[in-house]
Amino acid sequence: MPNKFTRWYVNDLGKGSEFLSADWCDIFIAWVAEQAGVRKQVGTFAYTPDHANWFASKGRWGTTPKRGAIVFFDWQGGKARSGIDHVGIVYQVNRDGTITTIEGNNMNQVVKKTRSSSLIVGYGYWF
C-alpha cells in the first residue's frame, strides 16, 4: 500500500510506479537522508543488498556500530550482504552489545527498536 515514503520515492525521485507497493524500509532511509540533506552520502535505494554493496564499493562498510550509521540485518543471522532483509538507522549503541534503531516498514510503521548484534550483517557509514 502506498505511503508518504513510497510516494516520495516515485513522485519526487522519478522511480517506477512499482515502488508504490514495495517494501519500504530502505526507501525510508533515503527519505530521512533527503530531509537531513545527506542523500548523496547515504544513497537512494529500495533494495537493501544493493545499498549495502554500494557502501562497500565506496569503502564505507564495516562491522562497528556507530550512532547514525545505516545498519543492515539478516533475519536468519547470516553475515553475507546478499542475505540482507532489512535496514535501519543506529540511534544508540547500548552497553549490553545491542543497538537501538529507527526503522521504517516494521509492521508497516516507523519504529524505534532494540536489536541484537546476532542479526546484524554490517553498517554503512555515510559520515
Side-chain angles (χ1 to χ4, degrees):
M1 176 175 206
N3 60 42
K4 80 184 233 175
F5 309 112
T6 59
R7 282 188 203 94
W8 168 81
Y9 198 73
V10 170
N11 297 331
D12 291 18
L13 298 185
K15 303 294 184 173
S17 62
E18 67 273 14
F19 291 104
L20 287 172
S21 60
D23 290 337
W24 53 274
C25 60
D26 216 1
I27 292 171
F28 172 72
I29 299 299
W31 182 86
V32 169
E34 175 75 12
Q35 304 314 300
V38 295
R39 186 164 50 97
K40 281 188 172 184
Q41 295 94 318
V42 173
T44 307
F45 292 85
Y47 185 58
T48 52
D50 285 350
H51 197 177
N53 287 332
W54 179 79
F55 275 114
S57 75
K58 297 189 170 303
R60 297 186 296 157
W61 177 260
T63 57
T64 303
K66 297 179 184 180
R67 182 175 166 92
I70 309 304
V71 57
F72 294 87
F73 300 99
D74 180 340
W75 299 142
Q76 283 69 51
K79 297 303 177 190
R81 289 192 300 269
S82 61
I84 292 172
D85 299 305
H86 189 63
V87 64
I89 302 166
V90 177
Y91 176 77
Q92 180 175 303
V93 179
N94 304 313
R95 290 183 182 169
D96 65 359
T98 64
I99 61 167
T100 302
T101 61
I102 304 296
E103 303 171 17
N105 200 28
N106 184 303
M107 305 287 287
N108 207 33
Q109 298 177 17
V110 175
V111 298
K112 186 190 283 188
K113 295 286 289 185
T114 298
R115 300 278 191 191
S116 165
S117 61
S118 67
L119 300 173
I120 297 169
V121 176
Y123 300 89
Y125 310 112
W126 59 271
F127 41 85

